[in-house]
Amino acid sequence: MTAITVNPVLRVAPAAPAEAAAHFRAALAFHTDVSDVAAALAAGGDPGFVVVDSRSTEAWDQGHIPGAVHLPTALVREQAAHLLDRSVPVVTYCWGPGCNGAARAALALAELGYPVKEMLGGFEYWVREGLEFETWQGRERRAPEPLTAPADAGDCGC
């Protein structure tokens, strides 16, 4: 008897297309990314959401998205009502993919009745994609990293 070898990708079969569509539709209801947030903010006018930086004051001072509201995760429950309108969707971010502070802030905001999404990539990818950020000294921009942003195009096309 010969054993059939299945590669690691197909060891667990892909979901049925309808299940996959439901999963990815749900994922997009919970998450957005740096490029989409930047495009919405750059379009001018009211983007229809507010960006919340959920990091510490020290991290905020090191750099943050221009126009973001500073609301550290630990203070969401006591300060959200003073800083945010419950009728306006909130996009949370923290340091980057290795930090779940934005998810914790999003959870706290959702439990308080705010519509919320988490920005994948966080501040790390905002800076790595070459987008402008703000510090207590003013605005800065670094060159985009070629592995995180297209070198010769305005966006990645996705």
Side-chain angles (χ1 to χ4, degrees), residues 54-134:
S54 64
R55 300 171 305 145
S56 68
T57 299
E58 294 79 13
W60 169 266
D61 288 345
Q62 195 171 324
H64 54 271
I65 295 173
V69 172
H70 184 221
L71 180 56
T73 300
L75 301 176
V76 167
R77 294 195 187 283
E78 68 185 64
Q79 293 185 3
H82 303 291
L83 298 172
L84 304 171
D85 179 341
R86 269 197 182 78
S87 68
V88 177
V90 176
V91 174
T92 62
Y93 75 90
C94 60
W95 275 113
C99 176
N100 66 4
R104 287 194 311 273
L107 172 61
L109 288 163
E111 289 176 343
L112 292 172
Y114 292 87
V116 64
K117 287 188 175 198
E118 176 186 9
M119 184 179 80
L120 300 176
F123 184 68
E124 174 188 351
Y125 276 75
W126 186 271
V127 174
R128 291 178 78 183
E129 289 191 19
L131 298 166
E132 187 175 65
F133 62 96
E134 207 166 38

